[in-house]
Amino acid sequence: MSAQMPDKKPVSGSPLRGALLALLVNEGEQPLGGYRLGTLVERRLGPAWRVTRQSVYGTLDRLEEDGLVSSSSKEATGRGGEGQRVYSATDRADAAVAAWMETPVGKEPMRVELQAKIALSSARHAPQLLRALDGYERDCFEMLRKTQEAEVPMGSWAGLAMNLTRMAVDESLQAELRWIALARRWIADFVANQSTTNRTR
């Protein structure tokens, strides 16, 4: 009789599912509240991931439905009020995290809305696209600033892993900024050439 393989499906489909489950397994000495888990996962993944509290709680609910996480109510401290909901990894969680780590990771498809707008635009949309590029560039610079501010010292595995994650984001944003500059130049050159051509007719 062959050994049963761990179920890989429960943590597939969303990096946040795997990240939260791995945190609960690694920090497994005591149950953690959703807010604390959100703070930890945001710190580990970095600001560019833009993890929301809503997505954290929704993911925890689904992990609980899958039997990988259990929750309980922790006694409230202070006057009145309900206890805080806290989460723990179940016995199945460690095998699920190991299976998640083994799962091959492919390149996500390009789904940047600005690129779709450019692909489906016509020359008359040049002014709107140039304004959109300006806004997109501001967002990239802001994300780059936050990512660089979030760097952590090396010296531990967690530090190494977090800095590698931030380096990947940094490199991706630098490439985005180069593409923005190129797109802006090509659009501006095309508009200038069209204008020159129309004047000489």
Side-chain angles (χ1 to χ4, degrees):
M1 184 169 153
S2 61
Q4 188 175 359
M5 293 295 291
D7 186 6
K8 296 183 182 184
K9 189 176 179 185
V11 285
S12 65
S14 163
L16 185 56
R17 288 170 64 84
L20 284 168
L21 193 60
L23 271 173
L24 282 168
V25 168
N26 295 337
E27 306 275 334
E29 292 178 12
Q30 60 182 8
L32 295 171
Y35 186 86
R36 175 72 178 142
L37 278 165
T39 302
L40 286 171
V41 80
E42 188 174 44
R43 176 165 165 71
R44 294 299 290 267
L45 294 177
W49 280 72
R50 293 179 179 168
V51 176
T52 66
R53 300 293 175 219
Q54 183 179 1
S55 64
V56 166
Y57 283 106
T59 302
L60 286 168
D61 288 344
R62 287 188 291 279
L63 286 168
E64 189 166 15
E65 288 168 11
D66 292 335
L68 298 171
V69 164
S70 63
S71 68
S72 59
S73 186
K74 183 179 172 184
E75 287 299 316
T77 55
R79 283 187 243 150
E82 292 183 14
Q84 178 192 21
R85 196 138 201 84
V86 291
Y87 300 85
S88 302
T90 66
D91 293 342
R92 293 177 52 210
D94 194 44
V97 170
W100 177 58
M101 290 290 178
E102 289 284 341
T103 304
V105 179
K107 177 72 178 89
E108 292 290 322
M110 297 298 292
R111 290 195 180 128
V112 178
E113 188 177 8
L114 177 56
Q115 293 170 11
K117 287 181 179 181
I118 290 173
L120 297 166
S121 65
S122 64
R124 73 177 185 278
H125 297 121
Q128 294 99 316
L129 294 177
L130 289 169
R131 287 194 295 274
L133 283 163
D134 290 344
Y136 192 66
E137 184 179 54
R138 282 193 298 273
D139 284 351
C140 286
F141 275 122
E142 178 62 14
M143 201 178 293
L144 193 60
R145 182 188 66 75
K146 287 181 179 177
T147 300
Q148 290 170 346
E149 283 177 358
E151 285 185 16
V152 293
M154 297 287 257
S156 67
W157 180 261
L160 178 145
M162 285 190 279
N163 277 305
L164 278 175
T165 304
R166 282 151 182 73
M167 179 75 68
V169 171
D170 187 282
E171 292 293 324
S172 177
L173 288 169
Q174 296 289 357
E176 288 281 320
L177 289 167
R178 288 192 296 273
W179 172 80
I180 290 165
L182 180 68
R184 187 184 285 123
R185 188 171 72 246
W186 283 13
I187 291 170
D189 287 352
F190 184 90
V191 169
N193 287 339
Q194 287 291 100
S195 182
T196 302
T197 302
N198 291 339
R199 281 200 305 270
T200 56
R201 280 182 181 166

